Amino acid sequence: MAKRAAEVFGSEPNALKDGKRPQKSESVDEVGEFEDEFEDEFDSEDEIFEAGADGRPDEEQEAEESRDAMDLDQQTFIPGRDHLAAGETLSPDTSTYEMLHTISTTWPCLSFDILNDSLGENRKTYPATLYAVAGTQAESRRAKDNQVMVMKLSGLGRIDRDRDEEDSDEDEDDEENAEPVLETKSIPLNSTTNRIRAHQTPPANASKPPTTFTATMTEAAQVLIHNVTPHLSSFDTPGTIITPQQNKPITTLEMHKAEGYALDWSPLFPQGKLLTGDNNGEIFVSSCGDGGKWATDSKCFAGHQSSVEDIQWSPSERNVFASASSDGTVKVWDLRSKSHRPALSVVVSNTDVNVMSWSRQTTHLLATGSEDGQWAVWDLRQWKATQSSSSPPPKPVASFNFHKEQITSIEWHPTDDSIVAVAAGDNTLTLWDLAVELDDEESRDSAGVEGVPPQLLFVHYMEMGKECHWHPQIPGCVMATGGGGFG
C-alpha cells in the first residue's frame, strides 16, 4: 500500500527535548478564561458540527453541488467544434477505453502500416504486442535524417478501471499494466515519405516467416521497395545485426514525373502487384515477376484532371481498382482495358476527394472522405458506365458532415461491415456504426446534442491526425498517427 504521512490529531503539552523528561503542565485554572469570539455565532456544539466551511448546513451545500454537476454534464464538449478556454486542457475519459497509449518518435511519421504477425488471431489478452512500419517527415534541412522505421510495440497494457488507488503500488508488477516498449530498426532514406504500405508474401515453408515488403512513395517522386523481413526477425533474435546491404531497397521505381500519395498493394497477387498515382493524375502498375525482378507497365492509366490522392484495389476482383482525385471524382478501372481509360467515373464531391476505403466484407461498398470534412458511403452497384446527362447522379447510401475540417484517413473495420474509422484535420479520430437506423420518431441527434448523428460511436482527440488503421488481429484496436506521435 502507498505510504502517507501520519496525521497529527493533537500535540504533547511539552515534547521531549535534549533528552529531558516532559514536565507537568500548569493548571488550566492558572491561565484564566479565554473569551470565545464565536460564541454568538453558534449556540451549540451540534450547530458547529453540522455547519460547512461557509457556515451553511452540509445538506444545502451538497444540493447546490449536485445542481452544478448536472449543469456541467449537459454541456457536451466536442473536440473539433468546441474550443478550450485559456488554461484548459482535455483529458480522456479512461472508462471508455480498453487500451490507450501514446508513443512519440524523433520525427513525425505521418504515414504507417500495421503488419500481420504470428501471435494469433482474435487476440484479447494483455499486454498486447504489434508490429508496424512507418516513414518519417524530417525537416527539409535535415532530409538525410529521414528513414523507414520498422517497429515492434510491446507491453501495451489494458486500462484497469477497477484498480483502487490504495492498491496501485501492489498492482505495479501486474503484467496487464506493463509499461509500453517501442523497439525500432531504421532504414536510411534521403527523402520525406509521402505514403508507405506493406505487403506480405506467404512462405514456401510453414516453419519460416512470411516475406514482408514495404513500398515507400517519397517526395522525390521515387517508389522504394524494401525487404524488411530480417529487420522484423531481429526483434526476437538477440544479437542480430542488420547489414548495410539489407537496408538497401531491392528496387527503385522511377516512372513518375511528379511526387504522389496514392499507393496500394493488391491483396490478390501474393508475389506483389503495386498501384501508384501521382500529382499529375497518372497511375502506374508495377509487378514482381520471376526471380524477384520488378517491372512497370510502360503505359499509364490516365483520366483524372488533377492529382490522384488515393488508390485501392478491389478486394474481390483481381483486375479492378479505384482511384480518388482532387478533381472531385472517383474512377473505377480495369487492368484489361487496352485504352487504359476508366470504366466508371462519378463526381462524389465538390472538393478534393482525399481518401477512400473499399469494404473487404461487403465488396460493393466504397467509403470516401473529402476536403470539406464530409465522408460518404457509396453502393457501386448503382454506378453506371454510361450515365446519361438527363439521369440523376448516384447518391451515397450514407453521408455525414460531422467533421469541420478535411478528412485525412478512412478505413472499414476488417471484420464488421458496418464500422468505419475516420481521421480528420479537426484533431479528431471518430468511430461510426452504420448499422444504427433511425425511426421516424427518433431524433437525428445523439442524446439531444445538436449535430451529433446517432451513428457516431466514439470521438478521440488526436492532434493533427493523419492516418488510422485497424489491427486485423486485435479486435477493436485502432492505431493512428499525427503531429504528436502515435496513439
Side-chain angles (χ1 to χ4, degrees):
M1 295 178 63
K3 297 181 180 179
R4 61 177 179 179
E7 296 182 15
V8 180
F9 294 98
S11 61
E12 288 273 2
N14 291 294
L16 294 176
K17 185 177 181 182
D18 297 334
K20 297 180 180 180
R21 295 182 180 274
Q23 303 297 316
K24 182 178 179 181
S25 61
E26 296 182 0
S27 171
V28 176
D29 293 338
E30 297 178 7
V31 178
E33 294 183 358
F34 288 95
E35 180 182 354
D36 185 358
E37 58 178 320
F38 299 108
E39 64 181 352
D40 294 334
E41 186 171 343
F42 300 106
D43 294 334
S44 69
E45 187 174 332
D46 290 340
E47 197 170 344
I48 296 175
F49 206 66
E50 293 177 359
D54 58 0
R56 293 182 299 161
D58 289 342
E59 291 84 354
E60 183 178 334
Q61 293 183 62
E62 290 172 359
E64 182 178 325
E65 290 172 358
S66 177
R67 289 193 300 271
D68 292 342
M70 291 175 64
D71 290 340
L72 287 173
D73 288 344
Q74 293 170 358
Q75 299 174 0
T76 304
F77 186 92
I78 303 176
R81 291 189 177 189
D82 300 328
H83 301 284
L84 295 172
E88 291 183 334
T89 58
L90 280 179
S91 179
D93 179 2
T94 55
S95 67
T96 62
Y97 294 85
E98 183 76 10
M99 177 174 67
L100 178 63
H101 297 281
T102 56
I103 298 175
S104 300
T105 53
T106 303
W107 296 109
C109 298
L110 303 185
S111 184
F112 77 103
D113 206 3
I114 294 176
L115 304 177
N116 279 66
D117 55 52
S118 60
L119 300 180
E121 304 295 327
N122 199 32
R123 305 200 296 266
K124 298 180 180 179
T125 58
Y126 293 90
T129 298
L130 63 84
Y131 298 83
V133 292
T136 63
Q137 285 79 29
E139 297 175 1
S140 57
R141 61 186 179 87
R142 300 184 62 178
K144 291 185 178 180
D145 290 350
N146 278 299
Q147 55 191 248
V148 170
M149 294 177 61
V150 185
M151 302 182 293
K152 177 184 179 181
L153 290 82
S154 58
L156 301 175
R158 70 186 302 174
I159 291 178
D160 188 354
R161 304 186 187 92
D162 301 325
R163 180 168 50 177
D164 199 41
E165 289 185 6
E166 293 185 357
D167 297 331
S168 59
D169 287 350
E170 296 177 4
D171 291 342
E172 282 181 355
D173 295 331
D174 190 342
E175 284 190 356
E176 290 197 354
N177 302 308
E179 289 295 321
V181 176
L182 171 62
E183 301 173 72
T184 63
K185 299 294 180 182
S186 300
I187 299 174
L189 295 180
N190 291 321
S191 182
T192 293
T193 295
N194 289 347
R195 190 71 51 87
I196 186 170
R197 292 292 180 263
H199 174 72
Q200 292 179 313
T201 299
N205 188 334
S207 62
K208 294 183 178 181
T211 302
T212 303
F213 297 103
T214 60
T216 308
M217 290 195 77
T218 70
E219 196 175 48
Q222 294 179 323
V223 180
L224 307 176
I225 311 293
H226 288 91
N227 182 350
V228 298
T229 308
H231 303 75
L232 291 168
S233 299
S234 69
F235 292 129
D236 303 312
T237 309
T240 301
I241 297 176
I242 303 299
T243 66
Q245 185 62 34
Q246 290 173 321
N247 277 335
K248 292 182 178 180
I250 59 174
T251 191
T252 300
L253 307 176
E254 298 180 305
M255 61 282 190
H256 291 284
K257 300 181 181 65
E259 66 174 311
Y261 294 82
L263 174 67
D264 195 35
W265 291 92
S266 171
L268 303 178
F269 286 87
Q271 198 165 359
K273 203 174 191 70
L274 194 65
L275 284 168
T276 54
D278 61 31
N279 289 350
N280 287 344
E282 296 183 337
I283 299 170
F284 287 90
V285 180
S286 303
S287 306
C288 182
D290 296 336
K293 293 184 177 180
W294 280 83
T296 301
D297 294 352
S298 58
K299 187 176 182 180
C300 70
F301 288 82
H304 284 295
Q305 302 304 309
S306 189
S307 61
V308 180
E309 297 295 314
D310 202 0
I311 205 161
Q312 289 259 301
W313 287 96
S314 166
S316 58
E317 306 257 356
R318 59 190 284 124
N319 292 308
V320 176
F321 67 91
S323 58
S325 171
S326 56
D327 62 13
T329 69
V330 168
K331 300 184 188 298
V332 179
W333 313 73
D334 191 325
L335 293 181
R336 297 162 294 189
S337 170
K338 295 181 180 180
S339 66
H340 283 54
R341 305 294 295 178
L344 299 172
S345 181
V346 172
V347 176
V348 301
S349 176
N350 294 325
T351 61
D352 299 2
V353 186
N354 294 332
V355 290
M356 65 180 177
S357 178
W358 207 321
S359 172
R360 295 181 181 273
Q361 298 297 313
T362 306
T363 56
H364 59 264
L365 294 181
L366 185 75
T368 59
S370 304
E371 187 73 14
D372 59 4
Q374 190 170 46
W375 73 274
V377 177
W378 304 84
D379 187 339
L380 298 178
R381 297 173 301 181
Q382 299 176 1
W383 292 13
K384 306 299 179 184
T386 56
Q387 194 84 24
S388 64
S389 57
S390 59
S391 60
K395 293 184 178 180
V397 295
S399 180
F400 303 95
N401 59 0
F402 171 80
H403 290 284
K404 300 307 177 185
E405 296 291 340
Q406 73 276 12
I407 306 298
T408 57
S409 185
I410 190 167
E411 188 168 286
W412 290 94
H413 190 283
T415 58
D416 191 328
D417 62 358
S418 67
I419 306 296
V420 181
V422 179
D426 55 10
N427 297 329
T428 61
L429 169 65
T430 54
L431 304 183
W432 300 76
D433 186 356
L434 302 180
V436 176
E437 297 181 356
L438 291 176
D439 295 332
D440 293 338
E441 298 180 358
E442 287 184 312
S443 168
R444 298 194 66 83
D445 302 321
S446 291
V449 181
E450 184 179 356
V452 178
Q455 292 86 356
L456 179 60
L457 286 178
F458 196 83
V459 180
H460 173 73
Y461 177 84
M462 185 167 198
E463 183 182 357
M464 292 168 31
K466 290 296 183 182
E467 278 191 11
C468 61
H469 298 296
W470 296 93
H471 196 294
Q473 297 168 282
I474 305 178
C477 176
V478 180
M479 184 175 176
T481 186
F486 292 96

